[in-house]
Amino acid sequence: MSVPTVRAALKREMKANPITEGAELLKKSLECFEWSHFEMQLFGVLLLDKHSNLLEPQDLNFIADLVGKCNTWALVDPLSGPAGRLVDLGLPDVGPFLDSWSTHENFWLRRFSLLVLMRNLRENENEWARFVGYADSMIEEKEFFVRKAIGWVLRDQSRIRPEAVAEYVRRQMPVISGVTFREAVKYLPEPEQSELRTAYKAR
């Protein structure tokens, strides 16, 4: 079953059985994860995303539990949508959730802690320090999906704060991985991009 087919099924379900309560949303999403089929789990993820307005900050624990059940970026990454919207609220009790994910033994949750920051980083300069702290703690990781996530956030931020991204790459040049570096410098302006590429080759 293709992703468009899952989305079409979700649209039909939402029309036939609308969800208006957060508790009902969590229950139905969790039921989808009782199946081993990817398509059913994706259905549960997309259901959360479509009804993210019903979620409360404490539901971040629920979303993290779902991430722990995932074994593919194709489920983990879409979950960063509803979680990211909760992070965007800027509530003080959200920080401890993110901090615990950034050091979790499950690398999918470590990846998740980076991805959920992307939306808020575009508008909230204060979140840059949080991202840098997380990225610093993971910059030497061997796990590809964590390295890729660091690069994705840096690439996204390079359009908004290129100087800060360039400085981050310079500082981490001795240890930054190839996949992180390539993503980070992809959209940096000149002459910073060429300068960093030369330094990376020469390190």
Side-chain angles (χ1 to χ4, degrees):
M1 186 183 298
S2 66
V3 173
T5 302
V6 175
R7 291 187 181 279
L10 176 64
K11 187 175 181 179
R12 292 193 298 271
E13 173 65 19
M14 290 173 60
K15 184 176 181 179
N17 300 293
I19 297 175
T20 58
E21 299 292 336
E24 182 185 8
L25 171 63
L26 300 185
K27 179 177 180 293
K28 287 191 173 182
S29 295
L30 184 59
E31 287 173 351
C32 291
F33 273 78
E34 293 175 356
W35 294 74
S36 60
H37 302 298
F38 167 80
E39 291 81 5
M40 281 300 300
Q41 294 178 356
L42 180 61
F43 188 97
V45 170
L46 296 178
L47 191 68
L48 275 179
D49 191 48
K50 289 293 186 182
H51 294 87
S52 60
N53 61 303
L54 298 177
L55 297 173
E56 301 290 341
Q58 61 267 24
D59 296 326
L60 285 170
N61 265 332
F62 175 86
I63 296 175
D65 287 342
L66 291 188
V67 172
K69 299 176 185 295
C70 299
N71 290 306
T72 172
W73 63 268
L75 293 173
V76 171
D77 292 10
L79 279 170
S80 69
R85 293 184 189 99
L86 292 175
V87 172
D88 286 354
L89 297 176
L91 301 176
D93 52 349
V94 167
F97 286 111
L98 302 179
D99 293 344
S100 66
W101 298 346
S102 72
T103 58
H104 201 278
E105 62 181 5
N106 185 328
F107 74 83
W108 290 118
L109 270 168
R110 298 199 300 278
R111 174 184 172 91
F112 197 66
S113 72
L114 299 164
L115 297 182
V116 297
L117 294 176
M118 288 183 71
R119 286 166 52 95
N120 201 16
L121 272 168
R122 293 167 190 161
E123 299 180 1
N124 188 347
E125 187 173 345
N126 295 330
E127 285 298 286
W128 175 251
R130 182 187 296 277
F131 164 72
V132 168
Y134 292 174
D136 281 349
S137 71
M138 302 181 216
I139 196 66
E140 296 187 59
E141 285 225 19
K142 303 302 181 186
E143 175 52 56
F144 170 83
F145 289 103
V146 173
R147 291 176 166 185
K148 188 79 168 180
I150 297 172
W152 276 354
V153 178
L154 289 170
R155 181 187 66 190
D156 189 68
Q157 286 296 292
S158 69
R159 300 176 183 271
I160 303 167
R161 44 180 68 91
E163 299 87 356
V165 171
E167 178 54 34
Y168 183 85
V169 174
R170 287 190 195 98
R171 180 167 63 82
Q172 293 292 4
M173 188 64 73
V175 296
I176 195 170
S177 71
V179 65
T180 303
F181 177 82
R182 287 190 295 273
E183 294 292 339
V185 304
K186 189 172 184 178
Y187 298 125
L188 281 178
E190 296 292 358
E192 285 84 359
Q193 184 176 145
S194 294
E195 169 216 324
L196 291 169
R197 290 187 185 280
T198 299
Y200 183 79
K201 291 179 182 178
R203 68 175 186 170

